[in-house]
Structure formats: structure tokens, C-alpha cells
């Protein structure tokens, strides 16, 4: 009897819980442009270790097996799997048969939000697919390859070890950064054990600073004719190797974004370069993946900070690499990006920032003809919607700490007995503030940047066969003319591709007809044709420009039920059947 009552009670409890959950569902309503009741719940107001990113990637792939797959594309320097998501509608064709968009982030390990922004793009595409017609069609037409972190080892070091907002920029190779013949003997010292390397000050009769009487967080330099109370000692830490410098030989020095095999220069020209292009296994893994996927037509890399949409070239020696026609396409996409991401500006690396040799941005375009942007994420405009007053506007950062993060961005000054400097005070902004978004700003900026990347992917080529015409020529012959139209901005071959024969031509093939001759139509009105004498049924087309078409023509002696197919490495496939 007791068992029966228990079973009945559990049944009623289950029904009540189901009813409660159903009722709970009725208490919220879908916001426009946001996944409703997602299969995978991911909070985008926080940062994840590399394992956290991978765990979320695996959940996405498991929840959406028809449109998402996960794989390792190789090992990192410390042996971690570099995980990549492939997102497309597999029922509508193989991923490699569609124009593809490459997305990555976090090549510089301290530039952490690139991981979350890449993950957001993957999550949004998969969760919106069920209900959004645009995303459904997009994934029928396109493929996304998404690698949220291409520096997994140092990403974890940034989180788990003491660091500043700027360290480590590199991976985890330990080199002789200070030139004393030893490696790694003077790394970061987290004296107070809070995980952040902040700053040290010390009272001094010859100091040049005082604490602001109205805000003890701030140090104010006194006038030229005044004496202050404090001197600045620099970064929190100790001089571990006795060379008079603090924290000057830990992991770092080299720059993973100076390691790519386009316009690479040695370290004495390009500081941060390693021994040769693709010294780093992480970059080599990506290079090999991209080389095996010639369908990649667009690419996006996420960095921080500054609120910038960047294109190449990285150095003025490469100006001629980017011709006017391709720049027109870059400009059209990026100008739309400026509208989509308030506070961000579209710039060119070499003339608006500084020279970069051996950068990923130029490698993708220079060696593969892939239209590529690098977004420098986070701008102070997001704080108070005021135009930035410089990258390090200290007053604004203090205002953000006080008004928007309730003091959570700053470590208040506190005394510490330093083994070399005596009594010091340690304090300053945390490593996760300044370059990185505060949590409350992450999701909106992630969405806007993902939307820009989706817009870029949308404008990779989309081909169709149209306006097929027949003309009876007599003597059992007829001509068949077809237009191959590219419905998007980007051509099937960038100018760099055409100049260096990077990718194979596009092929337009007629089947089911006996072909006598085949032509590319150069000017139909003036009867100008370029004949292809070998294999005329499969016509080679050098390029199909964006928002226009290319005409082909065959002379056939038989065939009433024929089909026409297009096969382009970066433009995908299209077909027409009579």
C-alpha cells in the first residue's frame, strides 16, 4: 500500500513538474533575432578556459548533428587538440562543395574574447537554424569552419596564471627574452596571489605622484615645482635574475601573428618572428587545413582591441598585391560592417596602424586569394557611447570601474613587504579589464561581429545557370547558350588568385549532348567568342565576377534532354536541366 502511494505521489510530482515547466515557458517571449529555447545554453557574459570552449563546441555538435561536426585539426605546442567546428546543412551537400567562411580567434593569448565571439557565431548559426529562413538558406548554400582559439595553451595560461592585460601575447615557448643567455628565469611574480599582475608604488621623499584626495585609486602627477609622495616602481613582481628589471624573462617575446608564410621577415626586421614561416604548430595546422579546403572564400580573425575592422596589406611593400577591383569589394563589405558595429572603424593595416610582416591577414589573401578581415574587438565607445579619447583614457576607465562594474575592475592599493623594494603598495586594473570586454558588453558586441561575419559569408559567390537559349543552325546542328550568374559581391577568383594561378578555373559542363565546339562568349552583340578546342563539353572559365554573369556557348549535333553544371572551387556548384 505504501509502495502504491509512493508511485502515485511520484507520478503526480512528475506531472506537476511538467506542468510547471510548461507554465514557466509561457513566462518568457522570444526577443527578435535571438534563439528561442536553445538546445545548448551558453552564457555569453563570461569567459571560458580552452576546455570550456571545447566543451561548448562538443555540446553544439551533439545537439545539432545534421548541421555541425567537430574535429581536431592538429595539436598545439603543448599537445592540446585544436578543435574546429564545421557548420553547414549536410543534407544539402558536402561542406567542401560549398563556398566556405573561415573564422578564428585568440591567436594572441591575451586577446581572449576572440574565442567567445567565434563560439557565439557557431552557437547562433546552429540555434537559429530551426526557425530562421535566412539561416536555413545560408547553411544550404555555405559552410563555416570555426576555430575559436588558435592559441589554446597560452589562452589557459592567461586565465590560470598571473598575467597583465598584455601577457602572454605569444604561445608557451620559453625563449631568452632579455638576451642574457638564459630562458625563463624571470617570469611573472604574483606577489599578493590574486591572479593579476598590477602595479607597484612606494612612498618616496622625491616622488612625483600623490593619491587623488577625492579618489584614492588615482595617482596624480604633481606640478613641475612640487614634490609628491609616491614613486612608480612599475609592474608587480621581483627581479628574479638580478639584471635590474622585473618580470622580463617569462613566456613570450615572439608573436604568433608574425609567423605566417607571406612576406615573412626574420626577427631583426620583424620583431616577434620565429625561425622560419610556420615555426608554430598551431599556425601550421591552420595552413594545412586551409590548403586542403580550397572552397574557403572568406575569412575572419578576431583580435583585440580598438574597435577596428582591418584589411591588408600589412606593409607598404604589398600595396600592389591588392588591386582596385578587390579593394572595391573589401570596401563594400567593411563599410556595411561599420554600420553594423557602432564605434568600429574600417582601416588598412600598413597605413593606419603599423607595418606587419608575416601576418595571417596577408597570408590568407596573398597565398589563397581569400578576402579576409581582422577585427580588433572592444572599443571604449561601448562604455558611454562617447567617441574614444585614446586607447588608455585612464579617467574613463576609472569611471567604468566605479559606475558600471561597481569597483570590480580595480585592485585597491594595499601594502606588501617586497624583498627588494621594502614596503610597497600593490594595485591597479585587473588583467581582464581594458582590452577585454566587461561581461555585460560581451554578448551584444559578439552578436554584431558575428552578424558582420555572416554578411561577409553571404557575399561569397553564389552561382546559378540561367537564360539557356537554343538556336537551330541547320544541318542537324544547334547552338546552346547559357549564362552563369554570380548573385553575390565576391568573384569566384580574387585578382591575386588570377594573377598567380592559385586555384583551378571554374568548369561549365554540358551533359547529354554531342558537342562539336565550345566557347566562352566574350561579346555576344559583336559575335566575339573564345573557342576551347580541347574537351569542348567542359568549358574552363577563368573567373565569374560578383553581381554579373559569364556566357558560354556550345555547338551540338544531338541532344534534346541535356543538363548544364557549374563547378567552382570557391563558388560551389550549380546545375540546370532541360
Amino acid at each position: 500500500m505504501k509502495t502504491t502511494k509512493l508511485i502515485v505521489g511520484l507520478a503526480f510530482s512528475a506531472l506537476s513538474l511538467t506542468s510547471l515547466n510548461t507554465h514557466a515557458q509561457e513566462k518568457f517571449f522570444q526577443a527578435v533575432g535571438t534563439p528561442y529555447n536553445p538546445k545548448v545554453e551558453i552564457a555569453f557574459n563570461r569567459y571560458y578556459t580552452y576546455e570550456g570552449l571545447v566543451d561548448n563546441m562538443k555540446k553544439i555538435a551533439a545537439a545539432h548533428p545534421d548541421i555541425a561536426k567537430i574535429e581536431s585539426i592538429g595539436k598545439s605546442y603543448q599537445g592540446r587538440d585544436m578543435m574546429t567546428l564545421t557548420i553547414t546543412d549536410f543534407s544539402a551537400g558536402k561542406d567542401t562543395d560549398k563556398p566556405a567562411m573561415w573564422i578564428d580567434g585568440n591567436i594572441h593569448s591575451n586577446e581572449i574574447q576572440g574565442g567567445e565571439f567565434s563560439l557565439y557565431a557557431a552557437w547562433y548559426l546552429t540555434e537559429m537554424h530551426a526557425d530562421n529562413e535566412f539561416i536555413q538558406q545560408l547553411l544550404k548554400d555555405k559552410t563555416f569552419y570555426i576555430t575559436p582559439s588558435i592559441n589554446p595553451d597560452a589562452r589557459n595560461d592567461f586565465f590560470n596564471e598571473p598575467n597583465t592585460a598584455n601577457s602572454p601575447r605569444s604561445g608557451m615557448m620559453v625563449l631568452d627574452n632579455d638576451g642574457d643567455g638564459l630562458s625563463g628565469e624571470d617570469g611573472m611574480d604574483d606577489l599578493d596571489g590574486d591572479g593579476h599582475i598590477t602595479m607597484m608604488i612606494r612612498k618616496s621623499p622625491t616622488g612625483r605622484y600623490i593619491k587623488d584626495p577625492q579618489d584614492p585609486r588615482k595617482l596624480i602627477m604633481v606640478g613641475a615645482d612640487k614634490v609628491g609622495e609616491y614613486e612608480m616602481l612599475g609592474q608587480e613582481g621581483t627581479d628574479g635574475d638580478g639584471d635590474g628589471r622585473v618580470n622580463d624573462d617569462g613566456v613570450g617575446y615572439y608573436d604568433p601573428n608574425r609567423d605566417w608564410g607571406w612576406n615573412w621577415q626574420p626577427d631583426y626586421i620583424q620583431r616577434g618572428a620565429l625561425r622560419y614561416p610556420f615555426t608554430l604548430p598551431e599556425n601550421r595546422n591552420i595552413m594545412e587545413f586551409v590548403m586542403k579546403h580550397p572552397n574557403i572564400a572568406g575569412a575572419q580573425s578576431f583580435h583585440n582591441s580598438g574597435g577596428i575592422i582591418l584589411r591588408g596589406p600589412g606593409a607598404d611593400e604589398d600595396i600592389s598585391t591588392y588591386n582596385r577591383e578587390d579593394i572595391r569589394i573589401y570596401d563594400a563589405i567593411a563599410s556595411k560592417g561599420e554600420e553594423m558595429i557602432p564605434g568600429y572603424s574600417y582601416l588598412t593595416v600598413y597605413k593606419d596602424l603599423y607595418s606587419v610582416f608575416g601576418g595571417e591577414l596577408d597570408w590568407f589573401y596573398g597565398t589563397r586569394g581569400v578576402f579576409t578581415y581582422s577585427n580588433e574587438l572592444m572599443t571604449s565607445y561601448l562604455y558611454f557611447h562617447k567617441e574614444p579619447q585614446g586607447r588608455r583614457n585612464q579617467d574613463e576607465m576609472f569611471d567604468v570601474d566605479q559606475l558600471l562594474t561597481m569597483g570590480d575592475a580595480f585592485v585597491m592599493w594595499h601594502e606588501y613587504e617586497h624583498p627588494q623594494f621594502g614596503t610597497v603598495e600593490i594595485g591597479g586594473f585587473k588583467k581582464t579589464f581594458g582590452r577585454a570586454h566587461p561581461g555585460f558588453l560581451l554578448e551584444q558586441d559578439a552578436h554584431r561581429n558575428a552578424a558582420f561575419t555572416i554578411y561577409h559569408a553571404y557575399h561569397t559567390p553564389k552561382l546559378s545557370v540561367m537564360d539557356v537559349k537554343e538556336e537551330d543552325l541547320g544541318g542537324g546542328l544547334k547552338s546552346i547558350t547559357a549564362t552563369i550568374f554570380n548573385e553575390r559581391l565576391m568573384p569566384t577568383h580574387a585578382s591575386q588568385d588570377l594573377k598567380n594561378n592559385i586555384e583551378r578555373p571554374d568548369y561549365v559542363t554540358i551533359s547529354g549532348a554531342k558537342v562539336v565546339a565550345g566557347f566562352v562568349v566574350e561579346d555576344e552583340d559583336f559575335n566575339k567568342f573564345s573557342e576551347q578546342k580541347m574537351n569542348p563539353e567542359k568549358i574552363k572559365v577563368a573567373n565569374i565576377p560578383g553581381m554579373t554573369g559569364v556566357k558560354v556557348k556550345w555547338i551540338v549535333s544531338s541532344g534534346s534532354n541535356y543538363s548544364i553544371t557549374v563547378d567552382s572551387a570557391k563558388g560551389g556548384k550549380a546545375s540546370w536541366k532541360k
Side-chain angles (χ1 to χ4, degrees):
M1 188 66 176
K2 288 182 179 179
T3 303
T4 303
K5 287 181 179 179
L6 179 60
I7 292 171
V8 171
L10 288 172
F12 274 115
S13 296
L15 285 171
S16 298
L17 184 58
T18 301
S19 176
L20 182 63
N21 286 338
T22 302
H23 188 59
Q25 292 287 318
E26 295 169 356
K27 290 188 176 182
F28 65 86
F29 194 78
Q30 181 181 12
V32 170
T34 302
Y36 176 75
N37 196 23
K39 292 182 179 179
V40 180
E41 293 278 3
I42 302 177
F44 285 101
N45 62 351
R46 64 199 66 181
Y47 294 103
Y48 296 91
T49 63
Y50 183 65
E51 289 75 18
L53 289 177
V54 172
D55 183 56
N56 283 317
M57 294 167 70
K58 289 179 177 177
K59 288 177 181 177
I60 288 171
H64 303 279
D66 296 334
I67 56 173
K69 294 180 181 178
I70 188 170
E71 64 178 317
S72 170
I73 64 170
K75 298 284 188 180
S76 70
Y77 176 71
Q78 291 184 336
R80 291 178 174 84
D81 281 307
M82 287 181 61
M83 303 307 293
T84 296
L85 281 167
T86 298
I87 298 174
T88 190
D89 184 347
F90 291 101
S91 70
K94 293 167 56 179
D95 63 286
T96 50
D97 287 343
K98 305 173 187 179
M101 185 77 190
W102 170 270
I103 304 173
D104 70 43
N106 198 201
I107 188 171
H108 295 130
S109 54
N110 64 312
E111 299 182 5
I112 51 176
Q113 64 267 58
E116 281 68 26
F117 280 43
S118 301
L119 180 68
Y120 181 90
W123 176 80
Y124 188 82
L125 288 166
T126 51
E127 293 295 345
M128 287 294 282
H129 180 262
D131 302 314
N132 187 282
E133 292 182 8
F134 174 83
I135 298 296
Q136 290 167 2
Q137 188 60 52
L138 183 74
L139 295 187
K140 281 184 171 69
D141 296 339
K142 313 291 184 183
T143 296
F144 291 80
Y145 300 117
I146 303 177
T147 305
S149 177
I150 58 176
N151 195 345
D153 302 338
R155 178 183 179 86
N156 276 7
D157 184 271
F158 178 83
F159 286 125
N160 298 327
E161 301 299 328
N163 278 295
T164 71
N166 302 308
S167 68
R169 180 177 170 84
S170 67
M172 296 306 295
M173 288 184 182
V174 180
L175 304 175
D176 178 16
N177 297 342
D178 58 0
D180 64 357
L182 301 174
S183 299
E185 77 281 2
D186 191 9
M188 296 290 181
D189 295 308
D190 182 14
L191 301 179
D192 57 3
D194 65 357
H196 303 278
I197 299 298
T198 53
M199 301 299 290
M200 298 187 299
I201 59 176
R202 178 175 63 182
K203 287 188 175 181
S204 169
T206 59
R208 302 299 304 147
Y209 297 88
I210 60 171
K211 287 183 179 177
D212 187 336
Q214 295 183 327
D215 187 344
R217 297 171 303 167
K218 297 181 181 180
L219 293 177
I220 302 173
M221 180 176 283
V222 296
D225 59 344
K226 305 292 183 185
V227 176
E229 187 179 1
Y230 288 92
E231 63 177 332
M232 295 287 297
L233 296 176
Q235 203 176 86
E236 173 188 355
T238 61
D239 175 14
D241 56 2
D243 65 357
R245 292 176 290 181
V246 170
N247 299 353
D248 68 332
D249 199 17
V251 297
Y253 175 75
Y254 64 93
D255 188 329
N257 203 31
R258 307 294 184 266
D259 180 57
W260 298 77
W262 178 265
N263 202 7
W264 181 90
Q265 299 293 328
D267 185 74
Y268 65 85
I269 294 175
Q270 174 61 77
R271 179 175 170 81
L274 282 166
R275 295 182 290 277
Y276 46 80
F278 297 114
T279 297
L280 294 172
E282 296 88 349
N283 294 350
R284 196 160 59 246
N285 292 336
I286 292 170
M287 177 269 290
E288 291 173 353
F289 182 91
V290 173
M291 295 295 288
K292 293 174 184 175
H293 292 79
N295 59 316
I296 294 174
Q300 174 68 55
S301 184
F302 289 125
H303 293 236
N304 83 28
S305 59
I308 308 170
I309 301 168
L310 283 171
R311 72 159 174 89
D316 57 10
E317 292 92 335
D318 247 349
I319 292 174
S320 62
T321 302
Y322 291 70
N323 83 344
R324 182 178 301 175
E325 190 59 28
D326 283 1
I327 290 174
R328 181 185 67 82
I329 294 163
Y330 270 108
D331 291 350
I333 294 172
S335 62
K336 187 64 67 175
E338 287 183 309
E339 295 177 31
M340 299 165 74
I341 319 174
Y344 281 57
S345 300
Y346 170 46
L347 303 177
T348 303
V349 176
Y350 84 94
K351 67 177 181 179
D352 296 316
L353 291 182
Y354 40 71
S355 291
V356 172
F357 299 98
E360 180 185 16
L361 190 67
D362 285 328
W363 180 82
F364 263 96
Y365 181 76
T367 67
R368 303 305 303 153
V370 173
F371 289 86
T372 308
Y373 297 97
S374 176
N375 285 17
E376 297 286 352
L377 306 172
M378 185 58 203
T379 167
S380 63
Y381 176 83
L382 299 178
Y383 292 139
F384 301 113
H385 292 185
K386 297 178 180 178
E387 289 302 317
Q389 300 299 312
R391 195 169 186 176
R392 297 294 178 190
N393 184 349
Q394 290 281 308
D395 287 339
E396 183 177 62
M397 293 176 73
F398 282 117
D399 288 343
V400 174
D401 176 52
Q402 178 184 351
L403 301 173
L404 298 179
T405 73
M406 317 307 160
D408 193 41
F410 192 88
V411 177
M412 285 300 297
W413 299 107
H414 53 285
E415 286 192 353
Y416 182 85
E417 289 301 318
H418 194 282
Q420 292 159 326
F421 297 131
T423 302
V424 301
E425 293 182 38
I426 298 173
F429 290 107
K430 294 180 178 179
K431 65 184 178 184
T432 46
F433 179 64
R435 298 180 69 102
H437 293 70
F440 73 95
L441 288 177
L442 261 176
E443 185 161 1
Q444 180 189 150
D445 208 25
H447 180 85
R448 290 181 181 276
N449 276 270
F452 167 66
T453 301
I454 289 170
Y455 179 80
H456 182 180
Y458 174 81
H459 277 293
T460 58
K462 182 177 181 181
L463 306 179
S464 58
V465 182
M466 59 185 291
D467 197 25
V468 179
K469 296 177 181 178
E470 295 183 13
E471 181 184 354
D472 189 351
L473 303 177
L477 299 176
K478 65 179 177 181
S479 70
I480 300 171
T481 305
T483 298
I484 313 305
F485 187 65
N486 182 354
E487 305 173 27
R488 301 292 186 262
L489 277 171
M490 290 166 54
T492 56
H493 296 261
S495 63
Q496 177 71 354
D497 184 343
L498 294 172
K499 184 167 55 179
N500 295 285
N501 296 313
I502 294 171
E503 197 46 71
R504 64 169 174 83
D506 305 323
Y507 296 118
V508 184
T509 304
I510 188 168
S511 303
K514 187 174 181 180
V515 178
V516 176
F519 310 85
V520 173
V521 180
E522 294 179 350
D523 191 321
E524 191 171 31
D525 294 322
F526 289 94
N527 292 316
K528 290 185 177 181
F529 305 95
S530 175
E531 183 178 3
Q532 180 180 303
K533 294 184 178 181
M534 297 293 292
N535 301 318
E537 67 280 356
K538 185 177 182 179
I539 296 177
K540 297 178 181 179
V541 176
N543 186 36
I544 306 172
M547 307 306 294
T548 189
V550 172
K551 286 190 176 183
V552 294
K553 183 176 183 176
W554 295 275
I555 308 299
V556 302
S557 60
S558 65
S560 56
N561 294 314
Y562 54 87
S563 61
I564 299 170
T565 59
V566 185
D567 181 2
S568 169
K570 287 184 172 63
K573 300 179 185 296
S575 61
W576 179 94
K577 189 171 184 179
K578 185 174 179 183

